[in-house]
Short mmCIF file of all heavy atoms in Angstrom, two decimals:
data_model
loop_
_atom_site.label_atom_id
_atom_site.label_comp_id
_atom_site.label_asym_id
_atom_site.label_seq_id
_atom_site.Cartn_x
_atom_site.Cartn_y
_atom_site.Cartn_z
N MET A 1 -130.98 -35.98 -30.60
CA MET A 1 -131.25 -37.31 -30.05
C MET A 1 -130.45 -38.35 -30.75
O MET A 1 -130.33 -38.37 -32.04
CB MET A 1 -132.72 -37.55 -30.19
CG MET A 1 -133.25 -38.81 -29.58
SD MET A 1 -135.05 -38.82 -29.70
CE MET A 1 -135.40 -40.47 -29.36
N ALA A 2 -129.76 -39.17 -30.00
CA ALA A 2 -128.93 -40.24 -30.64
C ALA A 2 -129.80 -41.31 -31.34
O ALA A 2 -130.89 -41.62 -30.77
CB ALA A 2 -128.09 -40.91 -29.51
N PRO A 3 -129.36 -41.81 -32.43
CA PRO A 3 -130.12 -42.81 -33.04
C PRO A 3 -130.18 -44.13 -32.17
O PRO A 3 -129.23 -44.42 -31.47
CB PRO A 3 -129.28 -43.13 -34.35
CG PRO A 3 -127.98 -42.58 -34.07
CD PRO A 3 -128.09 -41.49 -33.05
N MET A 4 -131.30 -44.79 -32.24
CA MET A 4 -131.48 -46.00 -31.44
C MET A 4 -130.65 -47.12 -32.07
O MET A 4 -130.59 -47.24 -33.25
CB MET A 4 -132.97 -46.45 -31.41
CG MET A 4 -133.79 -45.54 -30.55
SD MET A 4 -135.54 -46.09 -30.49
CE MET A 4 -135.39 -47.70 -29.87
N ARG A 5 -129.99 -47.78 -31.22
CA ARG A 5 -129.19 -48.91 -31.65
C ARG A 5 -130.00 -50.17 -31.53
O ARG A 5 -130.68 -50.44 -30.57
CB ARG A 5 -127.93 -49.09 -30.82
CG ARG A 5 -126.95 -48.03 -31.08
CD ARG A 5 -125.68 -48.08 -30.22
NE ARG A 5 -125.20 -49.49 -30.14
CZ ARG A 5 -124.16 -49.72 -29.41
NH1 ARG A 5 -123.45 -48.88 -28.85
NH2 ARG A 5 -123.79 -51.06 -29.32
N LYS A 6 -129.99 -50.90 -32.61
CA LYS A 6 -130.78 -52.15 -32.67
C LYS A 6 -129.81 -53.28 -32.12
O LYS A 6 -128.78 -53.46 -32.60
CB LYS A 6 -131.20 -52.41 -34.08
CG LYS A 6 -132.12 -53.57 -34.25
CD LYS A 6 -132.51 -53.67 -35.73
CE LYS A 6 -133.52 -54.73 -35.83
NZ LYS A 6 -134.01 -54.88 -37.27
N SER A 7 -130.31 -53.88 -31.05
CA SER A 7 -129.46 -55.03 -30.56
C SER A 7 -130.15 -56.36 -30.95
O SER A 7 -131.31 -56.50 -30.72
CB SER A 7 -129.34 -54.94 -29.09
OG SER A 7 -130.48 -55.25 -28.37
N LEU A 8 -129.39 -57.17 -31.47
CA LEU A 8 -129.91 -58.55 -31.87
C LEU A 8 -129.33 -59.57 -30.88
O LEU A 8 -128.10 -59.51 -30.57
CB LEU A 8 -129.45 -58.87 -33.26
CG LEU A 8 -130.02 -57.97 -34.34
CD1 LEU A 8 -129.43 -58.30 -35.73
CD2 LEU A 8 -131.54 -58.09 -34.46
N VAL A 9 -130.16 -60.40 -30.43
CA VAL A 9 -129.65 -61.55 -29.58
C VAL A 9 -129.62 -62.77 -30.47
O VAL A 9 -130.55 -63.10 -31.07
CB VAL A 9 -130.66 -61.77 -28.40
CG1 VAL A 9 -130.24 -62.96 -27.62
CG2 VAL A 9 -130.78 -60.50 -27.55
N GLU A 10 -128.43 -63.32 -30.45
CA GLU A 10 -128.27 -64.51 -31.30
C GLU A 10 -128.57 -65.75 -30.43
O GLU A 10 -127.96 -65.97 -29.41
CB GLU A 10 -126.79 -64.64 -31.76
CG GLU A 10 -126.46 -63.58 -32.82
CD GLU A 10 -124.97 -63.76 -33.28
OE1 GLU A 10 -124.25 -64.50 -32.65
OE2 GLU A 10 -124.65 -63.13 -34.27
N ALA A 11 -129.53 -66.41 -30.88
CA ALA A 11 -129.97 -67.66 -30.17
C ALA A 11 -128.92 -68.74 -30.35
O ALA A 11 -128.37 -68.92 -31.45
CB ALA A 11 -131.29 -68.09 -30.65
N LYS A 12 -128.55 -69.41 -29.27
CA LYS A 12 -127.63 -70.53 -29.36
C LYS A 12 -128.40 -71.79 -29.70
O LYS A 12 -129.51 -72.02 -29.24
CB LYS A 12 -126.91 -70.69 -28.03
CG LYS A 12 -126.11 -69.48 -27.61
CD LYS A 12 -124.88 -69.31 -28.45
CE LYS A 12 -124.00 -68.22 -27.93
NZ LYS A 12 -122.95 -67.84 -28.80
N CYS A 13 -127.76 -72.62 -30.44
CA CYS A 13 -128.35 -73.96 -30.74
C CYS A 13 -128.12 -74.89 -29.60
O CYS A 13 -127.05 -75.20 -29.18
CB CYS A 13 -127.74 -74.54 -32.03
SG CYS A 13 -128.28 -76.23 -32.32
N PRO A 14 -129.24 -75.41 -28.96
CA PRO A 14 -129.04 -76.32 -27.87
C PRO A 14 -128.48 -77.62 -28.23
O PRO A 14 -127.87 -78.37 -27.49
CB PRO A 14 -130.49 -76.50 -27.37
CG PRO A 14 -131.29 -75.44 -27.96
CD PRO A 14 -130.58 -75.03 -29.26
N ILE A 15 -128.60 -77.92 -29.57
CA ILE A 15 -128.07 -79.23 -30.00
C ILE A 15 -126.52 -79.13 -30.29
O ILE A 15 -125.81 -80.16 -30.20
CB ILE A 15 -128.78 -79.76 -31.28
CG1 ILE A 15 -130.32 -79.67 -31.06
CG2 ILE A 15 -128.31 -81.01 -31.81
CD1 ILE A 15 -130.75 -80.64 -29.93
N ARG A 16 -126.07 -78.01 -30.71
CA ARG A 16 -124.69 -77.82 -31.01
C ARG A 16 -124.10 -76.74 -30.12
O ARG A 16 -124.02 -75.54 -30.42
CB ARG A 16 -124.54 -77.37 -32.47
CG ARG A 16 -125.09 -78.33 -33.46
CD ARG A 16 -124.98 -77.79 -34.86
NE ARG A 16 -125.45 -78.74 -35.85
CZ ARG A 16 -126.61 -78.61 -36.48
NH1 ARG A 16 -127.29 -77.57 -36.24
NH2 ARG A 16 -127.02 -79.48 -37.23
N PRO A 17 -123.70 -77.17 -28.86
CA PRO A 17 -123.18 -76.19 -27.88
C PRO A 17 -122.10 -75.36 -28.42
O PRO A 17 -121.21 -75.80 -29.10
CB PRO A 17 -122.69 -77.09 -26.79
CG PRO A 17 -123.41 -78.37 -26.90
CD PRO A 17 -123.57 -78.60 -28.36
N GLY A 18 -122.22 -74.07 -28.18
CA GLY A 18 -121.23 -73.06 -28.64
C GLY A 18 -121.53 -72.51 -29.95
O GLY A 18 -120.84 -71.52 -30.36
N GLU A 19 -122.50 -73.05 -30.67
CA GLU A 19 -122.84 -72.48 -32.01
C GLU A 19 -124.13 -71.76 -31.92
O GLU A 19 -125.04 -72.18 -31.25
CB GLU A 19 -122.86 -73.62 -33.00
CG GLU A 19 -121.58 -74.30 -33.27
CD GLU A 19 -121.64 -75.40 -34.37
OE1 GLU A 19 -122.50 -75.24 -35.21
OE2 GLU A 19 -120.86 -76.25 -34.31
N LYS A 20 -124.21 -70.70 -32.72
CA LYS A 20 -125.45 -70.02 -32.77
C LYS A 20 -126.43 -70.85 -33.73
O LYS A 20 -126.01 -71.57 -34.58
CB LYS A 20 -125.33 -68.58 -33.27
CG LYS A 20 -124.90 -68.44 -34.74
CD LYS A 20 -124.86 -66.97 -35.19
CE LYS A 20 -124.55 -66.96 -36.63
NZ LYS A 20 -124.61 -65.61 -37.15
N CYS A 21 -127.69 -70.53 -33.52
CA CYS A 21 -128.70 -71.20 -34.39
C CYS A 21 -128.59 -70.74 -35.83
O CYS A 21 -128.56 -69.50 -36.10
CB CYS A 21 -130.12 -70.89 -33.85
SG CYS A 21 -131.42 -71.54 -34.98
N SER A 22 -128.35 -71.67 -36.73
CA SER A 22 -128.17 -71.31 -38.10
C SER A 22 -129.45 -71.61 -38.93
O SER A 22 -129.47 -71.54 -40.16
CB SER A 22 -127.04 -72.16 -38.71
OG SER A 22 -127.30 -73.56 -38.61
N LEU A 23 -130.53 -71.85 -38.21
CA LEU A 23 -131.84 -72.11 -38.86
C LEU A 23 -131.70 -73.23 -39.89
O LEU A 23 -132.16 -73.20 -40.98
CB LEU A 23 -132.35 -70.88 -39.60
CG LEU A 23 -132.50 -69.61 -38.65
CD1 LEU A 23 -132.97 -68.43 -39.48
CD2 LEU A 23 -133.45 -69.91 -37.51
N CYS A 24 -130.97 -74.32 -39.43
CA CYS A 24 -130.76 -75.42 -40.27
C CYS A 24 -131.92 -76.33 -40.62
O CYS A 24 -131.93 -77.08 -41.61
CB CYS A 24 -129.59 -76.25 -39.86
SG CYS A 24 -129.95 -77.23 -38.35
N GLN A 25 -132.95 -76.17 -39.78
CA GLN A 25 -134.15 -76.95 -40.04
C GLN A 25 -135.19 -76.09 -40.81
O GLN A 25 -135.33 -74.85 -40.55
CB GLN A 25 -134.77 -77.37 -38.70
CG GLN A 25 -133.89 -78.22 -37.86
CD GLN A 25 -133.49 -79.57 -38.46
OE1 GLN A 25 -134.45 -80.30 -38.81
NE2 GLN A 25 -132.23 -79.85 -38.62
N MET A 26 -135.84 -76.67 -41.70
CA MET A 26 -136.77 -76.03 -42.59
C MET A 26 -137.94 -75.42 -41.83
O MET A 26 -138.57 -76.10 -40.95
CB MET A 26 -137.28 -76.93 -43.66
CG MET A 26 -137.93 -76.22 -44.83
SD MET A 26 -137.95 -77.27 -46.36
CE MET A 26 -139.13 -78.49 -45.87
N GLY A 27 -138.21 -74.11 -42.02
CA GLY A 27 -139.44 -73.54 -41.45
C GLY A 27 -139.24 -73.10 -40.10
O GLY A 27 -140.29 -72.64 -39.48
N VAL A 28 -138.11 -73.06 -39.43
CA VAL A 28 -137.97 -72.64 -38.09
C VAL A 28 -137.56 -71.24 -38.04
O VAL A 28 -136.98 -70.62 -38.91
CB VAL A 28 -137.00 -73.53 -37.23
CG1 VAL A 28 -137.34 -74.94 -37.37
CG2 VAL A 28 -135.58 -73.28 -37.74
N SER A 29 -137.91 -70.55 -36.90
CA SER A 29 -137.42 -69.18 -36.67
C SER A 29 -136.42 -69.10 -35.50
O SER A 29 -136.01 -68.06 -35.13
CB SER A 29 -138.55 -68.26 -36.43
OG SER A 29 -139.38 -68.67 -35.29
N GLY A 30 -136.05 -70.24 -34.96
CA GLY A 30 -135.08 -70.29 -33.86
C GLY A 30 -135.23 -71.62 -33.05
O GLY A 30 -136.08 -72.44 -33.43
N PRO A 31 -134.46 -71.78 -32.02
CA PRO A 31 -134.58 -72.98 -31.27
C PRO A 31 -135.92 -73.22 -30.58
O PRO A 31 -136.25 -74.37 -30.34
CB PRO A 31 -133.46 -72.78 -30.13
CG PRO A 31 -132.50 -71.76 -30.72
CD PRO A 31 -133.34 -70.88 -31.58
N HIS A 32 -136.63 -72.12 -30.35
CA HIS A 32 -137.94 -72.25 -29.71
C HIS A 32 -138.94 -73.01 -30.48
O HIS A 32 -139.86 -73.58 -29.89
CB HIS A 32 -138.49 -70.81 -29.27
CG HIS A 32 -138.71 -69.98 -30.51
ND1 HIS A 32 -137.64 -69.37 -31.13
CD2 HIS A 32 -139.85 -69.71 -31.13
CE1 HIS A 32 -138.22 -68.61 -32.10
NE2 HIS A 32 -139.49 -68.86 -32.21
N ASP A 33 -138.82 -73.03 -31.79
CA ASP A 33 -139.74 -73.80 -32.57
C ASP A 33 -139.10 -74.82 -33.49
O ASP A 33 -139.63 -75.21 -34.53
CB ASP A 33 -140.71 -72.84 -33.41
CG ASP A 33 -139.97 -72.01 -34.39
OD1 ASP A 33 -138.69 -72.07 -34.49
OD2 ASP A 33 -140.62 -71.26 -35.18
N CYS A 34 -137.91 -75.23 -33.08
CA CYS A 34 -137.15 -76.20 -33.81
C CYS A 34 -137.59 -77.58 -33.50
O CYS A 34 -137.58 -77.98 -32.28
CB CYS A 34 -135.64 -76.08 -33.51
SG CYS A 34 -134.62 -77.33 -34.25
N GLY A 35 -138.02 -78.36 -34.50
CA GLY A 35 -138.42 -79.72 -34.21
C GLY A 35 -137.39 -80.66 -33.74
O GLY A 35 -137.62 -81.56 -32.89
N LEU A 36 -136.18 -80.49 -34.13
CA LEU A 36 -135.07 -81.29 -33.69
C LEU A 36 -134.81 -81.06 -32.26
O LEU A 36 -134.61 -82.01 -31.52
CB LEU A 36 -133.82 -81.09 -34.53
CG LEU A 36 -132.57 -81.86 -34.23
CD1 LEU A 36 -132.92 -83.33 -34.36
CD2 LEU A 36 -131.38 -81.50 -35.09
N VAL A 37 -134.81 -79.82 -31.82
CA VAL A 37 -134.60 -79.53 -30.38
C VAL A 37 -135.74 -80.16 -29.59
O VAL A 37 -135.56 -80.73 -28.52
CB VAL A 37 -134.54 -77.98 -30.15
CG1 VAL A 37 -134.58 -77.71 -28.70
CG2 VAL A 37 -133.27 -77.47 -30.84
N TYR A 38 -136.96 -80.05 -30.10
CA TYR A 38 -138.14 -80.63 -29.41
C TYR A 38 -137.95 -82.13 -29.25
O TYR A 38 -138.16 -82.65 -28.17
CB TYR A 38 -139.42 -80.30 -30.18
CG TYR A 38 -140.62 -80.81 -29.56
CD1 TYR A 38 -141.32 -80.15 -28.62
CD2 TYR A 38 -141.06 -82.14 -29.94
CE1 TYR A 38 -142.45 -80.73 -27.96
CE2 TYR A 38 -142.26 -82.69 -29.37
CZ TYR A 38 -142.90 -81.97 -28.38
OH TYR A 38 -144.01 -82.55 -27.76
N LEU A 39 -137.63 -82.78 -30.31
CA LEU A 39 -137.47 -84.20 -30.27
C LEU A 39 -136.38 -84.64 -29.27
O LEU A 39 -136.56 -85.60 -28.53
CB LEU A 39 -137.15 -84.75 -31.70
CG LEU A 39 -138.28 -84.74 -32.64
CD1 LEU A 39 -137.75 -85.21 -34.04
CD2 LEU A 39 -139.37 -85.66 -32.20
N VAL A 40 -135.24 -83.99 -29.34
CA VAL A 40 -134.13 -84.36 -28.36
C VAL A 40 -134.48 -84.14 -26.96
O VAL A 40 -134.28 -84.94 -26.08
CB VAL A 40 -132.80 -83.61 -28.81
CG1 VAL A 40 -131.73 -83.80 -27.74
CG2 VAL A 40 -132.31 -84.06 -30.15
N MET A 41 -135.15 -83.00 -26.70
CA MET A 41 -135.45 -82.64 -25.30
C MET A 41 -136.65 -83.39 -24.77
O MET A 41 -136.84 -83.43 -23.55
CB MET A 41 -135.73 -81.08 -25.21
CG MET A 41 -134.47 -80.28 -25.50
SD MET A 41 -133.02 -80.83 -24.48
CE MET A 41 -131.68 -79.88 -25.20
N HIS A 42 -137.41 -84.00 -25.63
CA HIS A 42 -138.58 -84.78 -25.19
C HIS A 42 -138.35 -86.23 -25.18
O HIS A 42 -139.35 -87.02 -24.95
CB HIS A 42 -139.78 -84.30 -25.91
CG HIS A 42 -140.32 -82.97 -25.51
ND1 HIS A 42 -139.77 -81.83 -25.95
CD2 HIS A 42 -141.27 -82.62 -24.60
CE1 HIS A 42 -140.40 -80.78 -25.45
NE2 HIS A 42 -141.31 -81.23 -24.61
N ASP A 43 -137.10 -86.70 -25.49
CA ASP A 43 -136.80 -88.08 -25.49
C ASP A 43 -135.85 -88.33 -24.33
O ASP A 43 -134.76 -87.79 -24.38
CB ASP A 43 -136.23 -88.51 -26.84
CG ASP A 43 -135.93 -90.00 -26.95
OD1 ASP A 43 -134.92 -90.42 -26.34
OD2 ASP A 43 -136.66 -90.69 -27.57
N ASP A 44 -136.23 -89.18 -23.41
CA ASP A 44 -135.37 -89.38 -22.22
C ASP A 44 -133.97 -89.83 -22.58
O ASP A 44 -133.02 -89.32 -22.11
CB ASP A 44 -136.03 -90.44 -21.32
CG ASP A 44 -137.23 -89.90 -20.69
OD1 ASP A 44 -137.48 -88.62 -20.62
OD2 ASP A 44 -138.12 -90.70 -20.17
N GLU A 45 -133.85 -90.81 -23.52
CA GLU A 45 -132.53 -91.32 -23.92
C GLU A 45 -131.66 -90.22 -24.64
O GLU A 45 -130.49 -90.04 -24.23
CB GLU A 45 -132.67 -92.51 -24.81
CG GLU A 45 -132.09 -93.82 -24.22
CD GLU A 45 -132.41 -94.96 -25.17
OE1 GLU A 45 -131.58 -95.13 -26.17
OE2 GLU A 45 -133.38 -95.68 -24.98
N LEU A 46 -132.25 -89.57 -25.55
CA LEU A 46 -131.57 -88.56 -26.30
C LEU A 46 -131.17 -87.35 -25.34
O LEU A 46 -130.05 -86.84 -25.47
CB LEU A 46 -132.39 -88.00 -27.45
CG LEU A 46 -132.51 -88.94 -28.63
CD1 LEU A 46 -133.50 -88.38 -29.67
CD2 LEU A 46 -131.19 -89.28 -29.24
N ARG A 47 -132.09 -86.96 -24.46
CA ARG A 47 -131.72 -85.85 -23.53
C ARG A 47 -130.58 -86.25 -22.65
O ARG A 47 -129.72 -85.48 -22.33
CB ARG A 47 -132.98 -85.57 -22.69
CG ARG A 47 -132.80 -84.24 -21.97
CD ARG A 47 -134.12 -83.80 -21.32
NE ARG A 47 -134.60 -84.81 -20.40
CZ ARG A 47 -135.72 -85.43 -20.52
NH1 ARG A 47 -136.50 -85.24 -21.60
NH2 ARG A 47 -136.11 -86.33 -19.63
N GLU A 48 -130.55 -87.53 -22.18
CA GLU A 48 -129.38 -87.98 -21.35
C GLU A 48 -128.10 -87.99 -22.13
O GLU A 48 -127.04 -87.60 -21.62
CB GLU A 48 -129.69 -89.35 -20.76
CG GLU A 48 -128.65 -89.84 -19.81
CD GLU A 48 -128.33 -88.80 -18.62
OE1 GLU A 48 -129.23 -88.18 -18.17
OE2 GLU A 48 -127.11 -88.74 -18.34
N LEU A 49 -128.17 -88.52 -23.36
CA LEU A 49 -126.92 -88.49 -24.21
C LEU A 49 -126.44 -87.06 -24.45
O LEU A 49 -125.23 -86.79 -24.35
CB LEU A 49 -127.27 -89.16 -25.61
CG LEU A 49 -127.30 -90.65 -25.61
CD1 LEU A 49 -127.73 -91.16 -27.00
CD2 LEU A 49 -125.87 -91.16 -25.42
N TYR A 50 -127.38 -86.15 -24.71
CA TYR A 50 -127.03 -84.81 -24.91
C TYR A 50 -126.40 -84.19 -23.61
O TYR A 50 -125.42 -83.50 -23.71
CB TYR A 50 -128.34 -84.03 -25.32
CG TYR A 50 -128.17 -82.58 -25.26
CD1 TYR A 50 -127.45 -81.90 -26.20
CD2 TYR A 50 -128.74 -81.76 -24.31
CE1 TYR A 50 -127.30 -80.55 -26.25
CE2 TYR A 50 -128.65 -80.41 -24.27
CZ TYR A 50 -127.89 -79.73 -25.22
OH TYR A 50 -127.80 -78.42 -25.23
N ALA A 51 -126.96 -84.50 -22.42
CA ALA A 51 -126.40 -84.03 -21.21
C ALA A 51 -125.01 -84.55 -21.00
O ALA A 51 -124.06 -83.83 -20.61
CB ALA A 51 -127.31 -84.32 -20.06
N GLU A 52 -124.77 -85.82 -21.31
CA GLU A 52 -123.49 -86.41 -21.19
C GLU A 52 -122.47 -85.68 -22.03
O GLU A 52 -121.25 -85.44 -21.62
CB GLU A 52 -123.49 -87.89 -21.54
CG GLU A 52 -124.05 -88.76 -20.46
CD GLU A 52 -124.16 -90.23 -20.94
OE1 GLU A 52 -123.50 -90.63 -21.83
OE2 GLU A 52 -124.96 -90.94 -20.32
N GLN A 53 -122.86 -85.44 -23.33
CA GLN A 53 -121.97 -84.80 -24.22
C GLN A 53 -121.60 -83.35 -23.77
O GLN A 53 -120.49 -82.90 -23.89
CB GLN A 53 -122.56 -84.72 -25.62
CG GLN A 53 -122.54 -86.04 -26.28
CD GLN A 53 -123.12 -86.02 -27.75
OE1 GLN A 53 -123.70 -85.00 -28.14
NE2 GLN A 53 -122.87 -87.06 -28.50
N ARG A 54 -122.62 -82.68 -23.24
CA ARG A 54 -122.32 -81.31 -22.72
C ARG A 54 -121.38 -81.37 -21.53
O ARG A 54 -120.50 -80.52 -21.43
CB ARG A 54 -123.65 -80.67 -22.32
CG ARG A 54 -124.46 -80.24 -23.50
CD ARG A 54 -125.51 -79.28 -23.08
NE ARG A 54 -124.82 -78.09 -22.57
CZ ARG A 54 -125.45 -76.89 -22.49
NH1 ARG A 54 -126.70 -76.78 -22.82
NH2 ARG A 54 -124.83 -75.78 -21.98
N ARG A 55 -121.58 -82.34 -20.66
CA ARG A 55 -120.71 -82.45 -19.53
C ARG A 55 -119.24 -82.73 -19.98
O ARG A 55 -118.25 -82.19 -19.46
CB ARG A 55 -121.16 -83.52 -18.52
CG ARG A 55 -122.32 -83.10 -17.63
CD ARG A 55 -122.55 -84.15 -16.54
NE ARG A 55 -123.15 -85.39 -17.02
CZ ARG A 55 -124.36 -85.66 -17.19
NH1 ARG A 55 -125.27 -84.80 -16.91
NH2 ARG A 55 -124.77 -86.80 -17.68
N ALA A 56 -119.08 -83.67 -20.99
CA ALA A 56 -117.84 -83.99 -21.46
C ALA A 56 -117.09 -82.80 -22.19
O ALA A 56 -115.93 -82.68 -22.11
CB ALA A 56 -117.94 -85.18 -22.44
N ALA A 57 -117.88 -81.97 -22.72
CA ALA A 57 -117.37 -80.81 -23.48
C ALA A 57 -116.94 -79.66 -22.58
O ALA A 57 -116.16 -78.82 -22.96
CB ALA A 57 -118.39 -80.30 -24.49
N GLN A 58 -117.41 -79.67 -21.28
CA GLN A 58 -117.07 -78.63 -20.41
C GLN A 58 -115.70 -78.82 -19.87
O GLN A 58 -115.30 -79.96 -19.68
CB GLN A 58 -118.07 -78.54 -19.25
CG GLN A 58 -119.41 -78.02 -19.73
CD GLN A 58 -120.44 -78.01 -18.59
OE1 GLN A 58 -120.18 -78.59 -17.53
NE2 GLN A 58 -121.55 -77.39 -18.84
N PRO A 59 -114.95 -77.76 -19.64
CA PRO A 59 -113.65 -77.83 -19.00
C PRO A 59 -113.76 -78.45 -17.63
O PRO A 59 -114.72 -78.25 -16.91
CB PRO A 59 -113.12 -76.40 -18.94
CG PRO A 59 -114.27 -75.53 -19.26
CD PRO A 59 -115.40 -76.34 -19.85
N SER A 60 -112.76 -79.30 -17.32
CA SER A 60 -112.84 -79.97 -15.99
C SER A 60 -112.59 -78.99 -14.90
O SER A 60 -111.80 -78.06 -15.01
CB SER A 60 -111.82 -81.09 -16.01
OG SER A 60 -110.54 -80.52 -16.19
N ARG A 61 -113.22 -79.19 -13.83
CA ARG A 61 -113.14 -78.41 -12.66
C ARG A 61 -112.15 -79.00 -11.62
O ARG A 61 -112.18 -80.24 -11.42
CB ARG A 61 -114.49 -78.11 -11.99
CG ARG A 61 -115.47 -77.44 -12.96
CD ARG A 61 -116.77 -77.32 -12.36
NE ARG A 61 -116.73 -76.33 -11.30
CZ ARG A 61 -117.75 -75.98 -10.59
NH1 ARG A 61 -118.80 -76.71 -10.68
NH2 ARG A 61 -117.72 -75.11 -9.67
N THR A 62 -111.38 -78.18 -10.99
CA THR A 62 -110.35 -78.73 -10.07
C THR A 62 -110.53 -78.29 -8.64
O THR A 62 -109.61 -78.08 -7.92
CB THR A 62 -108.92 -78.43 -10.56
OG1 THR A 62 -108.85 -76.97 -10.71
CG2 THR A 62 -108.57 -79.09 -11.86
N ASP A 63 -111.80 -77.95 -8.22
CA ASP A 63 -112.01 -77.49 -6.92
C ASP A 63 -112.49 -78.56 -5.98
O ASP A 63 -112.53 -79.65 -6.18
CB ASP A 63 -113.00 -76.33 -6.89
CG ASP A 63 -114.22 -76.60 -7.68
OD1 ASP A 63 -114.37 -77.64 -8.34
OD2 ASP A 63 -115.28 -75.76 -7.53
S1 SF4 B 1 -132.63 -74.88 -36.43
FE1 SF4 B 1 -132.54 -76.20 -34.55
S2 SF4 B 1 -130.93 -77.70 -34.87
FE2 SF4 B 1 -130.69 -76.04 -36.41
S3 SF4 B 1 -129.21 -74.69 -35.56
FE3 SF4 B 1 -131.26 -73.93 -34.99
S4 SF4 B 1 -131.78 -74.81 -32.98
FE4 SF4 B 1 -130.01 -75.99 -33.83
#
């Protein structure tokens, strides 16, 4: 029987697009319980700023 391979899923940081979660906030285990992610996503202004930055960071589409 082949040994089981352990697959790890690296959570991406929603605040830093393209980067994996580095657990930079104290006491978190990932984006799902990150207070910074919670604050940004639950504040209308911050969420809109975040969405604008994500749109600006995406490659332009020419279709
Ligand atoms: S702890 Fe929060 S802010 Fe820090 S990298 Fe992870 S998701 Fe992003």
Side-chain angles (χ1 to χ4, degrees):
M1 186 171 165
M4 288 182 57
R5 288 178 43 179
K6 189 174 183 179
S7 73
L8 296 175
V9 176
E10 290 181 346
K12 300 286 184 191
C13 175
I15 306 299
R16 301 181 178 102
E19 293 183 26
K20 68 177 187 173
C21 175
S22 61
L23 304 176
C24 70
Q25 301 295 307
M26 198 160 66
V28 305
S29 58
H32 62 281
D33 62 356
C34 173
L36 183 57
V37 171
Y38 179 87
L39 288 175
V40 170
M41 295 306 174
H42 286 81
D43 181 285
D44 291 341
E45 242 176 83
L46 289 176
R47 193 174 57 246
E48 183 54 35
L49 280 171
Y50 169 70
E52 283 176 21
Q53 287 183 344
R54 286 197 64 161
R55 282 192 291 271
Q58 289 178 348
S60 61
R61 300 176 72 185
T62 57
D63 48 353

